[in-house]
Amino acid sequence: MSVTDIVLVLFTLLLLAYAIYDEFIMGTRNGKTQLRVNLKRRNRLDSIIFIGLLAILLYNNIHSNGTAITNYLLIGLGLIAFYLSFIRWPKMLFKPQGFYFANTFITYDRIRSMNLSEDGVLVFELEQKKLLIRVNELDDLERIYKLMVNNQ
């Protein structure tokens, strides 16, 4: 295996581990999930560019008679990137003690204020930063509000 193949295996395994954690493990941590809210997808252009660059690398490797394992690794990395970018939904999981946002667990006592902007963006103000939460469906904002009122 060349250094390129080792790097491709490393990145493929890291992305696969992240996908498994995000889909299966995160929901079981820190108690039972009380509410699951799908968020809007962002950075699609970045994902398209990344997958396009992988396609260019695959094309270049095929035409320069590169190894077959490099082709398979590039295809695998592209499939995982496609899954993470276009199939999987970013989500927010509400637990009894806090919530997961961007794969970070935030306890309810860290929230200083909660506001709703005119364009439907929910803003949680923490000690040092603000979380901008863009939900996929506006009905989810009411469900979040009811859950937050019950937990406070």
Side-chain angles (χ1 to χ4, degrees):
M1 278 182 111
S2 68
V3 175
T4 303
D5 293 340
I6 293 170
V7 170
L8 285 173
V9 166
L10 179 68
F11 282 122
T12 303
L13 289 176
L14 286 174
L15 279 177
L16 187 61
Y18 168 73
I20 290 171
Y21 172 77
D22 185 59
E23 195 64 35
F24 300 111
I25 297 172
M26 188 171 59
T28 62
R29 297 186 68 203
N30 294 317
K32 184 181 177 189
T33 301
Q34 296 177 330
L35 178 64
R36 181 178 191 258
V37 176
N38 288 338
L39 304 175
K40 286 187 178 179
R41 290 182 173 141
R42 299 185 311 170
N43 300 330
R44 282 195 174 187
L45 182 60
D46 294 340
S47 303
I48 292 170
I49 291 170
F50 179 69
I51 293 170
L53 288 173
L54 288 175
I56 291 170
L57 287 172
L58 179 63
Y59 176 81
N60 189 24
N61 193 49
I62 290 171
H63 283 290
S64 66
N65 295 327
T67 62
I69 192 164
T70 304
N71 293 341
Y72 294 133
L73 290 172
L74 287 169
I75 291 170
L77 186 60
L79 289 174
I80 293 172
F82 181 80
Y83 168 77
L84 289 174
S85 303
F86 297 104
I87 297 174
R88 179 192 68 94
W89 281 94
K91 59 187 166 282
M92 189 171 182
L93 301 175
F94 288 91
K95 305 286 187 165
Q97 304 299 323
F99 60 91
Y100 278 100
F101 178 74
N103 296 323
T104 304
F105 188 73
I106 299 166
T107 57
Y108 292 127
D109 59 354
R110 290 185 56 199
I111 299 173
R112 299 293 177 236
S113 67
M114 183 171 78
N115 298 315
L116 182 63
S117 69
E118 294 176 4
D119 55 348
V121 176
L122 185 62
V123 180
F124 285 144
E125 188 172 339
L126 304 178
E127 300 94 7
Q128 297 179 1
K129 67 178 186 175
K130 294 181 181 181
L131 301 178
L132 303 176
I133 299 166
R134 293 169 178 85
V135 295
N136 195 35
E137 297 179 16
L138 291 178
D139 294 339
D140 291 334
L141 291 173
E142 183 178 341
R143 293 177 20 206
I144 292 171
Y145 173 73
K146 287 179 182 177
L147 182 81
M148 295 299 286
V149 168
N150 290 338
N151 282 335
Q152 298 299 327

